[in-house]
């Protein structure tokens, strides 16, 4: 039998490549970002002057950052919606029914579609004379809610009251398939015998779902909730493709991008990035505690 330290050494040798990549592409950027948050960084000559909490004080008083952070927090509303839709869809596609494979693929197609392409398509859907307004007009005409010459012309991406929610709907459409696959893996790990025993005991479909399925996929629910929460706080690509931050769709990560690559104020951008990270950590802690209490 080999000594214990030999097994530990072998384990670290296997972990080594992954740890090196993690250090280079995760820990090092996070550390440099933290460094920049407390400095006035000049990209032209690479100089950095220590200014303490000045960047944090600036964004604390800046109305634009407050608005961006508010929009990012509103974006969190899609987290429970996406999770419920993904779990219900996974439960549906977990059945062996005719055409279910095609249905699964259809739900997953948005995940593998490039966000730039999907964004262009959805921009056409949201246009004045696009598919969505046309569909609503058709419903209005067929239910006699609209006159024959009336048309619905909602500016889905230009009206500040609804533009953010239109963008959130796009994020929801694109994310459901990804979380559906994770939930499907969790559902297929549940022994079939447990549900069969519940059926013999007279439990109906809702009771089996609520008292067996949901508790047994709770670790998957926690994972998916964490991932979707972080994704919601990092909402940026959807915004830049659909609305370019206009019509009150300016999110916190868009603010970080603007400050760094348009205004070249890297210290302020890094400070805003740290604040977003802090929100992610606090929400993750709250979610872990919530699921722990229920266990």
């Amino acid at each position: 039998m080999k000594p214990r330290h030999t097994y530990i050494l072998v384990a670290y040798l296997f972990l080594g490549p992954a740890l090196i990549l993690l250090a280079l592409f995760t820990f090092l950027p996070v550390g440099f970002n933290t460094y920049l948050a407390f400095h006035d960084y000049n990209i032209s000559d690479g100089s950095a002057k220590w200014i303490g909490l000045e960047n944090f004080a600036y964004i604390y008083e800046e109305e634009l950052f407050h608005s961006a952070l508010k929009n990012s927090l509103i974006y969190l509303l899609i987290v429970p919606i996406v999770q419920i839709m993904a779990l219900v869809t996974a439960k549906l596609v977990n059945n062996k029914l005719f055409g279910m494979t095609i249905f699964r693929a259809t739900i997953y197609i948005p995940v593998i579609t490039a966000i730039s392409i999907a964004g262009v398509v959805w921009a056409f859907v949201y246009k004045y004379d696009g598919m969505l307004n046309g569909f609503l007009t058709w419903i209005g005409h067929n239910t006699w809610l609209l006159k024959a010459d009336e048309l619905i012309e909602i500016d889905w991406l230009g009206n500040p009251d609804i533009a953010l929610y239109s963008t959130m709907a796009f994020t929801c459409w694109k994310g459901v398939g990804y979380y559906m696959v994770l939930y499907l893996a969790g559902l297929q790990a549940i022994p079939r015998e447990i549900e069969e025993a519940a059926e013999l005991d007279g439990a109906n479909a809702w009771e089996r779902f609520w008292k067996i399925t949901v508790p047994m996929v709770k670790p998957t629910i926690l994972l998916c909730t964490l991932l979707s929460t972080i994704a919601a706080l990092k909402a940026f690509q959807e915004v830049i493709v659909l609305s370019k931050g206009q019509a009150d769709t300016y999110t916190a990560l868009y603010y970080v991008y603007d400050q760094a690559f348009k205004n070249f104020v890297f210290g302020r951008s890094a400070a805003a990035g740290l604040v977003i990270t802090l929100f992610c950590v606090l929400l993750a802690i709250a979610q872990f505690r919530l699921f722990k209490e229920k266990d």
Side-chain angles (χ1 to χ4, degrees), residues 87 182-183 185-195 208-222 295:
L87 180 56
L182 296 180
Y183 280 123
L187 290 174
Q188 291 180 345
I190 299 175
R192 179 64 189 159
E193 295 78 10
I194 296 177
E195 291 213 17
R208 293 198 303 276
F209 176 75
W210 187 249
K211 296 182 178 178
I212 295 176
T213 303
V214 171
M216 295 199 75
V217 297
K218 195 176 285 185
T220 311
I221 294 175
L222 174 60
D295 283 337

Side-chain angles (χ1 to χ4, degrees), residues 135-148:
F135 178 67
L136 293 176
T137 302
W138 178 80
I139 291 177
H141 287 160
N142 284 277
T143 54
W144 296 282
L145 293 174
L146 293 177
K147 296 177 182 177

